[in-house]
Amino acid sequence: MAKHVNLIVQSGQLKGREITVPVGGVRIGRSSRNDFSIDDPALSRFQCRLFFKPGDGLWLSDLGSANGTVLNGKEVQEQRIYPGDEIVLGETTLRVLSDKEPEPGVASAVDLGLHKGAAGITLPAARRRLLWAAAVMVLVAILAWLPWGELTARIKHLVIKPPPPVPVRTMLPGVEVSFERVEATTSNIFRYALEVRDNRLTVQVDDLTRDRHVRREKKVAPELLQDLGRSFETSGFFDLLEDYSGIAPGVYETTDIAVTMGAKTRRVRVANHIEPESFIAARTAIEEFGKNELGLAALAIEPAELVDRAHQALLQGQKLYDEREVSYGNLFGAIRSFKEAEWYLETIGPKPDFYGEALSRKTDCEHELQKRYDDLWFMAERAVKLRDWKEAARQLRVIGEMIPDRSDDRNVNAYKMLVDVERHLATEK
């Protein structure tokens, strides 16, 4: 074995091949433009990279692959690797033999197998020279036989056009929101506060008359915050004045909104005053965001109406479940309706008779949705392995319609794989 071999293919179609990582690193993937190419449909075109960090040994970095890069049984993004570690890329397993940089002058990065026989036995030096000489003679003969014009045409024919770039939605700066609405009279104080910071949503509701105090937190998908940020930009919120104040005897109603997006920030307060149109648009977007993610806006409603709304949500969930074969998203919609019924009844006591039915139906629907997802994901992975890109794309799009919530890991995984599959489809056109 060569002195400076860093890794060896332990299993897979290239078993026995050796990799020496040069100073510039080695890129691995399905594309022939990689330093080490593996024709495995389970890999992304550019799967991962091996490189040295000065003074810190050998590192492995995933290149945004669809199916991930696994180190010692765990999917990683970037990790230091050591001798004995195993890297799994699709159906190929690499074993780390050395984490030392090659000595100066070592330029080869990958053993292409040209100097070995089928069993990995080194060929004699004289035979290797003979093979190289024969290859050169064949190349000279081809160049002499083909007219230069025809040769140029053939070379152009062989050039593979890169796939068109995948459309990327313009990303906004990080979004931070602070929202507080207080309604106070001589008999009650109601406070609804919402905060978004570091992709985490926190909502707290205090209702003194009903003695209800609820606080919830949830991590939200960055994509959803991007949508919320766009609503602030289009509403004209950043053009509003800082304060709109009036006087109303015996009543104190105030809404305070502060939004920060990158270097741009605006805080607007409306107290006992008619809300400007742009302010209403921003407030509605925030309240809908909190309701959709946590459902706590229901605490502003009287208990009797909460029970009625919960019952309507239960009936809607039953309807969507009965029509689950009509549209891919109906089963997910049914789960959302049953959750909505649960939200409405969270602070109600005692619970109405149909509360248990809502919980039971929600659980049954979640199990059915998971089974459908597992079946579709299996068929999508099988289609990828068979290089049936159209079928893989069809199955992945169904998953996206069936689970439209972009904060759901199942939706995220399907989207990541679909991006890679669509690149294949683009190259085939």
Side-chain angles (χ1 to χ4, degrees), residues 400-424:
E401 292 181 41
M402 190 177 68
I403 307 176
D405 183 359
R406 285 176 292 174
S407 65
D408 192 303
D409 288 341
R410 296 169 295 186
N411 178 289
V412 173
N413 293 336
Y415 176 76
K416 288 172 62 178
M417 183 182 287
L418 180 59
V419 169
D420 194 55
V421 168
E422 286 181 337
R423 288 198 184 106
H424 283 284

mmCIF file with all atom_site columns, all heavy atoms in Angstrom, residues 400-424:
data_model
loop_
_atom_site.group_PDB
_atom_site.id
_atom_site.type_symbol
_atom_site.label_atom_id
_atom_site.label_alt_id
_atom_site.label_comp_id
_atom_site.label_asym_id
_atom_site.label_entity_id
_atom_site.label_seq_id
_atom_site.pdbx_PDB_ins_code
_atom_site.Cartn_x
_atom_site.Cartn_y
_atom_site.Cartn_z
_atom_site.occupancy
_atom_site.B_iso_or_equiv
_atom_site.pdbx_formal_charge
_atom_site.auth_seq_id
_atom_site.auth_comp_id
_atom_site.auth_asym_id
_atom_site.auth_atom_id
_atom_site.pdbx_PDB_model_num
ATOM 1   N N   . GLY A 1 400 ? -44.667 16.744 -0.946  1.00 0.00 ? 400 GLY A N   1
ATOM 2   C CA  . GLY A 1 400 ? -44.778 18.170 -0.699  1.00 0.00 ? 400 GLY A CA  1
ATOM 3   C C   . GLY A 1 400 ? -46.225 18.637 -0.600  1.00 0.00 ? 400 GLY A C   1
ATOM 4   O O   . GLY A 1 400 ? -46.559 19.500 0.215   1.00 0.00 ? 400 GLY A O   1
ATOM 5   N N   . GLU A 1 401 ? -47.114 18.062 -1.436  1.00 0.00 ? 401 GLU A N   1
ATOM 6   C CA  . GLU A 1 401 ? -48.531 18.417 -1.374  1.00 0.00 ? 401 GLU A CA  1
ATOM 7   C C   . GLU A 1 401 ? -49.203 17.782 -0.154  1.00 0.00 ? 401 GLU A C   1
ATOM 8   O O   . GLU A 1 401 ? -50.093 18.376 0.453   1.00 0.00 ? 401 GLU A O   1
ATOM 9   C CB  . GLU A 1 401 ? -49.242 17.942 -2.643  1.00 0.00 ? 401 GLU A CB  1
ATOM 10  C CG  . GLU A 1 401 ? -48.823 18.684 -3.905  1.00 0.00 ? 401 GLU A CG  1
ATOM 11  C CD  . GLU A 1 401 ? -49.579 18.183 -5.118  1.00 0.00 ? 401 GLU A CD  1
ATOM 12  O OE1 . GLU A 1 401 ? -50.793 17.943 -4.994  1.00 0.00 ? 401 GLU A OE1 1
ATOM 13  O OE2 . GLU A 1 401 ? -48.952 18.018 -6.183  1.00 0.00 ? 401 GLU A OE2 1
ATOM 14  N N   . MET A 1 402 ? -48.774 16.591 0.193   1.00 0.00 ? 402 MET A N   1
ATOM 15  C CA  . MET A 1 402 ? -49.383 15.871 1.298   1.00 0.00 ? 402 MET A CA  1
ATOM 16  C C   . MET A 1 402 ? -49.002 16.472 2.647   1.00 0.00 ? 402 MET A C   1
ATOM 17  O O   . MET A 1 402 ? -49.793 16.488 3.592   1.00 0.00 ? 402 MET A O   1
ATOM 18  C CB  . MET A 1 402 ? -48.966 14.396 1.236   1.00 0.00 ? 402 MET A CB  1
ATOM 19  C CG  . MET A 1 402 ? -49.713 13.484 2.185   1.00 0.00 ? 402 MET A CG  1
ATOM 20  S SD  . MET A 1 402 ? -49.218 11.764 1.972   1.00 0.00 ? 402 MET A SD  1
ATOM 21  C CE  . MET A 1 402 ? -47.537 11.806 2.579   1.00 0.00 ? 402 MET A CE  1
ATOM 22  N N   . ILE A 1 403 ? -47.759 17.010 2.741   1.00 0.00 ? 403 ILE A N   1
ATOM 23  C CA  . ILE A 1 403 ? -47.284 17.642 3.976   1.00 0.00 ? 403 ILE A CA  1
ATOM 24  C C   . ILE A 1 403 ? -46.783 19.036 3.609   1.00 0.00 ? 403 ILE A C   1
ATOM 25  O O   . ILE A 1 403 ? -45.580 19.243 3.402   1.00 0.00 ? 403 ILE A O   1
ATOM 26  C CB  . ILE A 1 403 ? -46.167 16.809 4.639   1.00 0.00 ? 403 ILE A CB  1
ATOM 27  C CG1 . ILE A 1 403 ? -46.630 15.363 4.826   1.00 0.00 ? 403 ILE A CG1 1
ATOM 28  C CG2 . ILE A 1 403 ? -45.758 17.400 5.986   1.00 0.00 ? 403 ILE A CG2 1
ATOM 29  C CD1 . ILE A 1 403 ? -45.579 14.444 5.376   1.00 0.00 ? 403 ILE A CD1 1
ATOM 30  N N   . PRO A 1 404 ? -47.671 20.020 3.490   1.00 0.00 ? 404 PRO A N   1
ATOM 31  C CA  . PRO A 1 404 ? -47.281 21.344 2.999   1.00 0.00 ? 404 PRO A CA  1
ATOM 32  C C   . PRO A 1 404 ? -46.547 22.218 4.018   1.00 0.00 ? 404 PRO A C   1
ATOM 33  O O   . PRO A 1 404 ? -46.073 23.287 3.658   1.00 0.00 ? 404 PRO A O   1
ATOM 34  C CB  . PRO A 1 404 ? -48.637 21.978 2.629   1.00 0.00 ? 404 PRO A CB  1
ATOM 35  C CG  . PRO A 1 404 ? -49.623 21.306 3.533   1.00 0.00 ? 404 PRO A CG  1
ATOM 36  C CD  . PRO A 1 404 ? -49.125 19.907 3.722   1.00 0.00 ? 404 PRO A CD  1
ATOM 37  N N   . ASP A 1 405 ? -46.455 21.778 5.259   1.00 0.00 ? 405 ASP A N   1
ATOM 38  C CA  . ASP A 1 405 ? -45.806 22.576 6.302   1.00 0.00 ? 405 ASP A CA  1
ATOM 39  C C   . ASP A 1 405 ? -44.291 22.560 6.092   1.00 0.00 ? 405 ASP A C   1
ATOM 40  O O   . ASP A 1 405 ? -43.634 21.527 6.255   1.00 0.00 ? 405 ASP A O   1
ATOM 41  C CB  . ASP A 1 405 ? -46.148 21.998 7.680   1.00 0.00 ? 405 ASP A CB  1
ATOM 42  C CG  . ASP A 1 405 ? -45.570 22.835 8.811   1.00 0.00 ? 405 ASP A CG  1
ATOM 43  O OD1 . ASP A 1 405 ? -44.894 23.845 8.527   1.00 0.00 ? 405 ASP A OD1 1
ATOM 44  O OD2 . ASP A 1 405 ? -45.798 22.483 9.983   1.00 0.00 ? 405 ASP A OD2 1
ATOM 45  N N   . ARG A 1 406 ? -43.717 23.723 5.750   1.00 0.00 ? 406 ARG A N   1
ATOM 46  C CA  . ARG A 1 406 ? -42.289 23.789 5.447   1.00 0.00 ? 406 ARG A CA  1
ATOM 47  C C   . ARG A 1 406 ? -41.400 23.701 6.683   1.00 0.00 ? 406 ARG A C   1
ATOM 48  O O   . ARG A 1 406 ? -40.176 23.630 6.566   1.00 0.00 ? 406 ARG A O   1
ATOM 49  C CB  . ARG A 1 406 ? -41.987 25.071 4.671   1.00 0.00 ? 406 ARG A CB  1
ATOM 50  C CG  . ARG A 1 406 ? -42.436 25.008 3.218   1.00 0.00 ? 406 ARG A CG  1
ATOM 51  C CD  . ARG A 1 406 ? -42.207 26.314 2.509   1.00 0.00 ? 406 ARG A CD  1
ATOM 52  N NE  . ARG A 1 406 ? -43.077 27.362 3.015   1.00 0.00 ? 406 ARG A NE  1
ATOM 53  C CZ  . ARG A 1 406 ? -42.995 28.646 2.639   1.00 0.00 ? 406 ARG A CZ  1
ATOM 54  N NH1 . ARG A 1 406 ? -42.060 29.015 1.797   1.00 0.00 ? 406 ARG A NH1 1
ATOM 55  N NH2 . ARG A 1 406 ? -43.832 29.531 3.117   1.00 0.00 ? 406 ARG A NH2 1
ATOM 56  N N   . SER A 1 407 ? -42.002 23.716 7.870   1.00 0.00 ? 407 SER A N   1
ATOM 57  C CA  . SER A 1 407 ? -41.210 23.502 9.081   1.00 0.00 ? 407 SER A CA  1
ATOM 58  C C   . SER A 1 407 ? -41.163 22.023 9.458   1.00 0.00 ? 407 SER A C   1
ATOM 59  O O   . SER A 1 407 ? -40.457 21.643 10.391  1.00 0.00 ? 407 SER A O   1
ATOM 60  C CB  . SER A 1 407 ? -41.790 24.312 10.245  1.00 0.00 ? 407 SER A CB  1
ATOM 61  O OG  . SER A 1 407 ? -43.090 23.848 10.582  1.00 0.00 ? 407 SER A OG  1
ATOM 62  N N   . ASP A 1 408 ? -41.892 21.191 8.732   1.00 0.00 ? 408 ASP A N   1
ATOM 63  C CA  . ASP A 1 408 ? -41.923 19.749 8.976   1.00 0.00 ? 408 ASP A CA  1
ATOM 64  C C   . ASP A 1 408 ? -40.710 19.107 8.302   1.00 0.00 ? 408 ASP A C   1
ATOM 65  O O   . ASP A 1 408 ? -40.444 19.336 7.115   1.00 0.00 ? 408 ASP A O   1
ATOM 66  C CB  . ASP A 1 408 ? -43.220 19.154 8.412   1.00 0.00 ? 408 ASP A CB  1
ATOM 67  C CG  . ASP A 1 408 ? -43.462 17.717 8.881   1.00 0.00 ? 408 ASP A CG  1
ATOM 68  O OD1 . ASP A 1 408 ? -42.584 16.870 8.644   1.00 0.00 ? 408 ASP A OD1 1
ATOM 69  O OD2 . ASP A 1 408 ? -44.532 17.456 9.458   1.00 0.00 ? 408 ASP A OD2 1
ATOM 70  N N   . ASP A 1 409 ? -39.952 18.308 9.059   1.00 0.00 ? 409 ASP A N   1
ATOM 71  C CA  . ASP A 1 409 ? -38.740 17.681 8.520   1.00 0.00 ? 409 ASP A CA  1
ATOM 72  C C   . ASP A 1 409 ? -39.038 16.831 7.298   1.00 0.00 ? 409 ASP A C   1
ATOM 73  O O   . ASP A 1 409 ? -38.195 16.715 6.389   1.00 0.00 ? 409 ASP A O   1
ATOM 74  C CB  . ASP A 1 409 ? -38.067 16.819 9.591   1.00 0.00 ? 409 ASP A CB  1
ATOM 75  C CG  . ASP A 1 409 ? -37.405 17.645 10.673  1.00 0.00 ? 409 ASP A CG  1
ATOM 76  O OD1 . ASP A 1 409 ? -37.151 18.839 10.428  1.00 0.00 ? 409 ASP A OD1 1
ATOM 77  O OD2 . ASP A 1 409 ? -37.144 17.106 11.765  1.00 0.00 ? 409 ASP A OD2 1
ATOM 78  N N   . ARG A 1 410 ? -40.217 16.228 7.235   1.00 0.00 ? 410 ARG A N   1
ATOM 79  C CA  . ARG A 1 410 ? -40.567 15.390 6.091   1.00 0.00 ? 410 ARG A CA  1
ATOM 80  C C   . ARG A 1 410 ? -40.683 16.232 4.824   1.00 0.00 ? 410 ARG A C   1
ATOM 81  O O   . ARG A 1 410 ? -40.257 15.813 3.744   1.00 0.00 ? 410 ARG A O   1
ATOM 82  C CB  . ARG A 1 410 ? -41.855 14.634 6.378   1.00 0.00 ? 410 ARG A CB  1
ATOM 83  C CG  . ARG A 1 410 ? -41.736 13.651 7.530   1.00 0.00 ? 410 ARG A CG  1
ATOM 84  C CD  . ARG A 1 410 ? -43.077 13.097 7.973   1.00 0.00 ? 410 ARG A CD  1
ATOM 85  N NE  . ARG A 1 410 ? -43.941 14.127 8.538   1.00 0.00 ? 410 ARG A NE  1
ATOM 86  C CZ  . ARG A 1 410 ? -45.113 13.887 9.109   1.00 0.00 ? 410 ARG A CZ  1
ATOM 87  N NH1 . ARG A 1 410 ? -45.567 12.632 9.173   1.00 0.00 ? 410 ARG A NH1 1
ATOM 88  N NH2 . ARG A 1 410 ? -45.839 14.872 9.611   1.00 0.00 ? 410 ARG A NH2 1
ATOM 89  N N   . ASN A 1 411 ? -41.246 17.413 4.944   1.00 0.00 ? 411 ASN A N   1
ATOM 90  C CA  . ASN A 1 411 ? -41.329 18.327 3.808   1.00 0.00 ? 411 ASN A CA  1
ATOM 91  C C   . ASN A 1 411 ? -39.934 18.804 3.409   1.00 0.00 ? 411 ASN A C   1
ATOM 92  O O   . ASN A 1 411 ? -39.595 18.859 2.220   1.00 0.00 ? 411 ASN A O   1
ATOM 93  C CB  . ASN A 1 411 ? -42.218 19.514 4.182   1.00 0.00 ? 411 ASN A CB  1
ATOM 94  C CG  . ASN A 1 411 ? -42.332 20.552 3.079   1.00 0.00 ? 411 ASN A CG  1
ATOM 95  O OD1 . ASN A 1 411 ? -41.377 21.271 2.781   1.00 0.00 ? 411 ASN A OD1 1
ATOM 96  N ND2 . ASN A 1 411 ? -43.511 20.649 2.484   1.00 0.00 ? 411 ASN A ND2 1
ATOM 97  N N   . VAL A 1 412 ? -39.114 19.130 4.404   1.00 0.00 ? 412 VAL A N   1
ATOM 98  C CA  . VAL A 1 412 ? -37.757 19.621 4.144   1.00 0.00 ? 412 VAL A CA  1
ATOM 99  C C   . VAL A 1 412 ? -36.929 18.563 3.421   1.00 0.00 ? 412 VAL A C   1
ATOM 100 O O   . VAL A 1 412 ? -36.242 18.847 2.427   1.00 0.00 ? 412 VAL A O   1
ATOM 101 C CB  . VAL A 1 412 ? -37.067 20.019 5.463   1.00 0.00 ? 412 VAL A CB  1
ATOM 102 C CG1 . VAL A 1 412 ? -35.607 20.377 5.229   1.00 0.00 ? 412 VAL A CG1 1
ATOM 103 C CG2 . VAL A 1 412 ? -37.798 21.192 6.105   1.00 0.00 ? 412 VAL A CG2 1
ATOM 104 N N   . ASN A 1 413 ? -36.992 17.312 3.886   1.00 0.00 ? 413 ASN A N   1
ATOM 105 C CA  . ASN A 1 413 ? -36.214 16.237 3.269   1.00 0.00 ? 413 ASN A CA  1
ATOM 106 C C   . ASN A 1 413 ? -36.653 15.994 1.827   1.00 0.00 ? 413 ASN A C   1
ATOM 107 O O   . ASN A 1 413 ? -35.826 15.772 0.934   1.00 0.00 ? 413 ASN A O   1
ATOM 108 C CB  . ASN A 1 413 ? -36.360 14.948 4.080   1.00 0.00 ? 413 ASN A CB  1
ATOM 109 C CG  . ASN A 1 413 ? -35.709 15.058 5.444   1.00 0.00 ? 413 ASN A CG  1
ATOM 110 O OD1 . ASN A 1 413 ? -34.800 15.857 5.642   1.00 0.00 ? 413 ASN A OD1 1
ATOM 111 N ND2 . ASN A 1 413 ? -36.170 14.265 6.406   1.00 0.00 ? 413 ASN A ND2 1
ATOM 112 N N   . ALA A 1 414 ? -37.964 16.023 1.595   1.00 0.00 ? 414 ALA A N   1
ATOM 113 C CA  . ALA A 1 414 ? -38.481 15.804 0.237   1.00 0.00 ? 414 ALA A CA  1
ATOM 114 C C   . ALA A 1 414 ? -38.037 16.925 -0.685  1.00 0.00 ? 414 ALA A C   1
ATOM 115 O O   . ALA A 1 414 ? -37.666 16.683 -1.844  1.00 0.00 ? 414 ALA A O   1
ATOM 116 C CB  . ALA A 1 414 ? -40.004 15.692 0.273   1.00 0.00 ? 414 ALA A CB  1
ATOM 117 N N   . TYR A 1 415 ? -38.051 18.157 -0.192  1.00 0.00 ? 415 TYR A N   1
ATOM 118 C CA  . TYR A 1 415 ? -37.649 19.290 -1.020  1.00 0.00 ? 415 TYR A CA  1
ATOM 119 C C   . TYR A 1 415 ? -36.159 19.199 -1.377  1.00 0.00 ? 415 TYR A C   1
ATOM 120 O O   . TYR A 1 415 ? -35.767 19.447 -2.523  1.00 0.00 ? 415 TYR A O   1
ATOM 121 C CB  . TYR A 1 415 ? -37.929 20.599 -0.292  1.00 0.00 ? 415 TYR A CB  1
ATOM 122 C CG  . TYR A 1 415 ? -37.447 21.816 -1.054  1.00 0.00 ? 415 TYR A CG  1
ATOM 123 C CD1 . TYR A 1 415 ? -38.156 22.288 -2.158  1.00 0.00 ? 415 TYR A CD1 1
ATOM 124 C CD2 . TYR A 1 415 ? -36.279 22.474 -0.684  1.00 0.00 ? 415 TYR A CD2 1
ATOM 125 C CE1 . TYR A 1 415 ? -37.707 23.399 -2.864  1.00 0.00 ? 415 TYR A CE1 1
ATOM 126 C CE2 . TYR A 1 415 ? -35.825 23.576 -1.391  1.00 0.00 ? 415 TYR A CE2 1
ATOM 127 C CZ  . TYR A 1 415 ? -36.551 24.035 -2.477  1.00 0.00 ? 415 TYR A CZ  1
ATOM 128 O OH  . TYR A 1 415 ? -36.092 25.117 -3.179  1.00 0.00 ? 415 TYR A OH  1
ATOM 129 N N   . LYS A 1 416 ? -35.318 18.846 -0.404  1.00 0.00 ? 416 LYS A N   1
ATOM 130 C CA  . LYS A 1 416 ? -33.881 18.737 -0.669  1.00 0.00 ? 416 LYS A CA  1
ATOM 131 C C   . LYS A 1 416 ? -33.593 17.685 -1.732  1.00 0.00 ? 416 LYS A C   1
ATOM 132 O O   . LYS A 1 416 ? -32.792 17.900 -2.642  1.00 0.00 ? 416 LYS A O   1
ATOM 133 C CB  . LYS A 1 416 ? -33.140 18.386 0.627   1.00 0.00 ? 416 LYS A CB  1
ATOM 134 C CG  . LYS A 1 416 ? -33.061 19.521 1.627   1.00 0.00 ? 416 LYS A CG  1
ATOM 135 C CD  . LYS A 1 416 ? -32.489 19.058 2.949   1.00 0.00 ? 416 LYS A CD  1
ATOM 136 C CE  . LYS A 1 416 ? -31.076 18.537 2.811   1.00 0.00 ? 416 LYS A CE  1
ATOM 137 N NZ  . LYS A 1 416 ? -30.516 18.126 4.138   1.00 0.00 ? 416 LYS A NZ  1
ATOM 138 N N   . MET A 1 417 ? -34.268 16.537 -1.627  1.00 0.00 ? 417 MET A N   1
ATOM 139 C CA  . MET A 1 417 ? -34.045 15.496 -2.622  1.00 0.00 ? 417 MET A CA  1
ATOM 140 C C   . MET A 1 417 ? -34.607 15.912 -3.982  1.00 0.00 ? 417 MET A C   1
ATOM 141 O O   . MET A 1 417 ? -34.010 15.632 -5.029  1.00 0.00 ? 417 MET A O   1
ATOM 142 C CB  . MET A 1 417 ? -34.685 14.175 -2.177  1.00 0.00 ? 417 MET A CB  1
ATOM 143 C CG  . MET A 1 417 ? -34.408 13.017 -3.151  1.00 0.00 ? 417 MET A CG  1
ATOM 144 S SD  . MET A 1 417 ? -35.205 11.466 -2.692  1.00 0.00 ? 417 MET A SD  1
ATOM 145 C CE  . MET A 1 417 ? -34.190 10.976 -1.300  1.00 0.00 ? 417 MET A CE  1
ATOM 146 N N   . LEU A 1 418 ? -35.734 16.619 -3.991  1.00 0.00 ? 418 LEU A N   1
ATOM 147 C CA  . LEU A 1 418 ? -36.357 17.032 -5.242  1.00 0.00 ? 418 LEU A CA  1
ATOM 148 C C   . LEU A 1 418 ? -35.455 17.992 -6.010  1.00 0.00 ? 418 LEU A C   1
ATOM 149 O O   . LEU A 1 418 ? -35.382 17.933 -7.241  1.00 0.00 ? 418 LEU A O   1
ATOM 150 C CB  . LEU A 1 418 ? -37.708 17.692 -4.964  1.00 0.00 ? 418 LEU A CB  1
ATOM 151 C CG  . LEU A 1 418 ? -38.496 18.182 -6.189  1.00 0.00 ? 418 LEU A CG  1
ATOM 152 C CD1 . LEU A 1 418 ? -38.793 17.034 -7.138  1.00 0.00 ? 418 LEU A CD1 1
ATOM 153 C CD2 . LEU A 1 418 ? -39.793 18.857 -5.756  1.00 0.00 ? 418 LEU A CD2 1
ATOM 154 N N   . VAL A 1 419 ? -34.761 18.886 -5.304  1.00 0.00 ? 419 VAL A N   1
ATOM 155 C CA  . VAL A 1 419 ? -33.840 19.812 -5.964  1.00 0.00 ? 419 VAL A CA  1
ATOM 156 C C   . VAL A 1 419 ? -32.780 19.043 -6.734  1.00 0.00 ? 419 VAL A C   1
ATOM 157 O O   . VAL A 1 419 ? -32.462 19.356 -7.888  1.00 0.00 ? 419 VAL A O   1
ATOM 158 C CB  . VAL A 1 419 ? -33.189 20.752 -4.926  1.00 0.00 ? 419 VAL A CB  1
ATOM 159 C CG1 . VAL A 1 419 ? -32.043 21.540 -5.553  1.00 0.00 ? 419 VAL A CG1 1
ATOM 160 C CG2 . VAL A 1 419 ? -34.221 21.718 -4.364  1.00 0.00 ? 419 VAL A CG2 1
ATOM 161 N N   . ASP A 1 420 ? -32.224 18.008 -6.117  1.00 0.00 ? 420 ASP A N   1
ATOM 162 C CA  . ASP A 1 420 ? -31.197 17.208 -6.777  1.00 0.00 ? 420 ASP A CA  1
ATOM 163 C C   . ASP A 1 420 ? -31.773 16.427 -7.951  1.00 0.00 ? 420 ASP A C   1
ATOM 164 O O   . ASP A 1 420 ? -31.161 16.337 -9.018  1.00 0.00 ? 420 ASP A O   1
ATOM 165 C CB  . ASP A 1 420 ? -30.560 16.247 -5.761  1.00 0.00 ? 420 ASP A CB  1
ATOM 166 C CG  . ASP A 1 420 ? -29.278 15.627 -6.288  1.00 0.00 ? 420 ASP A CG  1
ATOM 167 O OD1 . ASP A 1 420 ? -28.379 16.390 -6.674  1.00 0.00 ? 420 ASP A OD1 1
ATOM 168 O OD2 . ASP A 1 420 ? -29.191 14.386 -6.320  1.00 0.00 ? 420 ASP A OD2 1
ATOM 169 N N   . VAL A 1 421 ? -32.974 15.873 -7.776  1.00 0.00 ? 421 VAL A N   1
ATOM 170 C CA  . VAL A 1 421 ? -33.615 15.112 -8.853  1.00 0.00 ? 421 VAL A CA  1
ATOM 171 C C   . VAL A 1 421 ? -33.922 16.013 -10.044 1.00 0.00 ? 421 VAL A C   1
ATOM 172 O O   . VAL A 1 421 ? -33.728 15.618 -11.202 1.00 0.00 ? 421 VAL A O   1
ATOM 173 C CB  . VAL A 1 421 ? -34.907 14.445 -8.327  1.00 0.00 ? 421 VAL A CB  1
ATOM 174 C CG1 . VAL A 1 421 ? -35.751 13.905 -9.477  1.00 0.00 ? 421 VAL A CG1 1
ATOM 175 C CG2 . VAL A 1 421 ? -34.559 13.310 -7.364  1.00 0.00 ? 421 VAL A CG2 1
ATOM 176 N N   . GLU A 1 422 ? -34.373 17.232 -9.786  1.00 0.00 ? 422 GLU A N   1
ATOM 177 C CA  . GLU A 1 422 ? -34.705 18.145 -10.875 1.00 0.00 ? 422 GLU A CA  1
ATOM 178 C C   . GLU A 1 422 ? -33.468 18.558 -11.656 1.00 0.00 ? 422 GLU A C   1
ATOM 179 O O   . GLU A 1 422 ? -33.545 18.857 -12.853 1.00 0.00 ? 422 GLU A O   1
ATOM 180 C CB  . GLU A 1 422 ? -35.432 19.365 -10.326 1.00 0.00 ? 422 GLU A CB  1
ATOM 181 C CG  . GLU A 1 422 ? -36.875 19.051 -9.917  1.00 0.00 ? 422 GLU A CG  1
ATOM 182 C CD  . GLU A 1 422 ? -37.616 20.250 -9.389  1.00 0.00 ? 422 GLU A CD  1
ATOM 183 O OE1 . GLU A 1 422 ? -36.935 21.200 -8.925  1.00 0.00 ? 422 GLU A OE1 1
ATOM 184 O OE2 . GLU A 1 422 ? -38.857 20.257 -9.438  1.00 0.00 ? 422 GLU A OE2 1
ATOM 185 N N   . ARG A 1 423 ? -32.306 18.565 -11.015 1.00 0.00 ? 423 ARG A N   1
ATOM 186 C CA  . ARG A 1 423 ? -31.064 18.844 -11.747 1.00 0.00 ? 423 ARG A CA  1
ATOM 187 C C   . ARG A 1 423 ? -30.807 17.723 -12.765 1.00 0.00 ? 423 ARG A C   1
ATOM 188 O O   . ARG A 1 423 ? -30.365 17.980 -13.882 1.00 0.00 ? 423 ARG A O   1
ATOM 189 C CB  . ARG A 1 423 ? -29.887 18.948 -10.763 1.00 0.00 ? 423 ARG A CB  1
ATOM 190 C CG  . ARG A 1 423 ? -29.895 20.217 -9.921  1.00 0.00 ? 423 ARG A CG  1
ATOM 191 C CD  . ARG A 1 423 ? -28.530 20.465 -9.314  1.00 0.00 ? 423 ARG A CD  1
ATOM 192 N NE  . ARG A 1 423 ? -28.533 21.628 -8.433  1.00 0.00 ? 423 ARG A NE  1
ATOM 193 C CZ  . ARG A 1 423 ? -28.491 21.575 -7.122  1.00 0.00 ? 423 ARG A CZ  1
ATOM 194 N NH1 . ARG A 1 423 ? -28.463 20.394 -6.523  1.00 0.00 ? 423 ARG A NH1 1
ATOM 195 N NH2 . ARG A 1 423 ? -28.479 22.665 -6.392  1.00 0.00 ? 423 ARG A NH2 1
ATOM 196 N N   . HIS A 1 424 ? -31.075 16.490 -12.342 1.00 0.00 ? 424 HIS A N   1
ATOM 197 C CA  . HIS A 1 424 ? -30.917 15.379 -13.289 1.00 0.00 ? 424 HIS A CA  1
ATOM 198 C C   . HIS A 1 424 ? -31.881 15.516 -14.458 1.00 0.00 ? 424 HIS A C   1
ATOM 199 O O   . HIS A 1 424 ? -31.517 15.282 -15.618 1.00 0.00 ? 424 HIS A O   1
ATOM 200 C CB  . HIS A 1 424 ? -31.160 14.052 -12.565 1.00 0.00 ? 424 HIS A CB  1
ATOM 201 C CG  . HIS A 1 424 ? -30.002 13.617 -11.710 1.00 0.00 ? 424 HIS A CG  1
ATOM 202 N ND1 . HIS A 1 424 ? -28.855 13.086 -12.215 1.00 0.00 ? 424 HIS A ND1 1
ATOM 203 C CD2 . HIS A 1 424 ? -29.841 13.656 -10.364 1.00 0.00 ? 424 HIS A CD2 1
ATOM 204 C CE1 . HIS A 1 424 ? -28.015 12.815 -11.233 1.00 0.00 ? 424 HIS A CE1 1
ATOM 205 N NE2 . HIS A 1 424 ? -28.600 13.143 -10.093 1.00 0.00 ? 424 HIS A NE2 1
#
